[in-house]
Amino acid sequence: MKKLIVFASGTGSNFQALADHLRTRSDVAIGALVCDKPQAAVIGRAQALGIPVITIDYRAYASKAAAEQALLARLPAADLVVLAGFMRIVGPTLLAAFPDRIINLHPALLPSFPGRTGIEDAWRYGVKVTGVTVHYVDAGIDSGRIIAQAPVAIAVGESLAHLEARIHAVEHDLLPRTVDQLILKGAI
Ligand code: GRF
C-alpha cells in the first residue's frame, strides 16, 4: 500500500478531489493531512474522511528548520508528499527527508507566473493561455522539474473569478491523474 501525505493551508478543494479519487483505488491512500493553519477548512474535510490531521504552528519554533524537524518526528512513513495549496516554502530539512518525493500543484503554466498569485498574475498580464502545473519541489519557488501540465485558454473579457473557477476545475482533474501516473511509472 502506497501512502501519501498531503500538505494544505486553506480550503482544501484539491485535497478533497485527491481523496475522493483515491477512494477508488485500494493500493494507495492518504495517511495524513498536514496543515499550518488551525482554522483552515481543509481540516474539517480530512476529519470527515477519517484522515489523521497533523497541525503545525511554525511561529512556535525558532526557525523553519526547527519547525520542520518537529514536524518530521510526527509524520507517518510516506511514499509521496503532495503540496496542495500549502502556502509555505519547503525548507532543506523536509526536502532532505523526501528526496524527489515532494510534488506541488501550481495554478499557472510554469515557469510563467510562479508565486502565490499565479492565476491573477496571468490574467492581469493578458496571456491568452494559462493553465495548471504539477512539479517536483526543490529549494526554489515553483522551480522544480515539471511532471505534468494542462493548458487553459483565457476567453476574451473573461472575469478573474470565472478563470479561477475554471483553473480549479482543471487542478481537481490534473492532480489525481498525475498521482496515478507517478504510481504507474513506478516513480513512487
Ligand atoms: C490551488 O489553486 C493551488 O494550485 C494553489 O492553492 C490553491 C489551493 O486551493 N497552490 P484548495 O485549498 O485546494 O481549494
Side-chain angles (χ1 to χ4, degrees), residues 10-15 84-87 104-107 119 168 171-172:
T11 313
S13 67
N14 286 286
F15 167 81
F86 186 63
M87 304 309 273
N104 180 50
L105 175 68
H106 183 73
I119 304 175
H168 292 317
E171 289 186 304
H172 299 161

Side-chain angles (χ1 to χ4, degrees), residues 65-138:
E68 290 188 341
Q69 203 59 58
L71 179 58
L72 275 176
R74 297 167 62 200
L75 293 184
D79 301 285
L80 184 70
V81 171
V82 179
L83 310 184
F86 186 63
M87 304 309 273
R88 283 178 188 279
I89 296 165
V90 171
T93 307
L94 263 182
L95 283 172
F98 296 99
D100 275 337
R101 289 287 191 281
I102 307 180
I103 66 171
N104 180 50
L105 175 68
H106 183 73
L109 285 184
L110 294 171
S112 295
F113 310 112
R116 285 169 172 252
T117 53
I119 304 175
E120 182 171 349
D121 293 347
W123 181 80
R124 287 200 187 285
Y125 194 95
V127 294
K128 303 303 178 195
V129 180
T130 182
V132 174
T133 301
V134 181
H135 63 95
Y136 285 107
V137 173
D138 65 9

Side-chain angles (χ1 to χ4, degrees), residues 26-100:
S26 55
D27 57 341
V28 48
I30 299 174
L33 167 76
V34 171
C35 185
D36 61 331
K37 295 270 182 291
Q39 308 300 330
V42 69
I43 292 175
R45 293 181 189 264
Q47 287 167 339
L49 292 165
I51 294 172
V53 177
I54 297 169
T55 54
I56 169 108
D57 179 1
Y58 277 69
R59 292 165 310 175
Y61 298 90
S63 64
K64 180 175 290 196
E68 290 188 341
Q69 203 59 58
L71 179 58
L72 275 176
R74 297 167 62 200
L75 293 184
D79 301 285
L80 184 70
V81 171
V82 179
L83 310 184
F86 186 63
M87 304 309 273
R88 283 178 188 279
I89 296 165
V90 171
T93 307
L94 263 182
L95 283 172
F98 296 99
D100 275 337

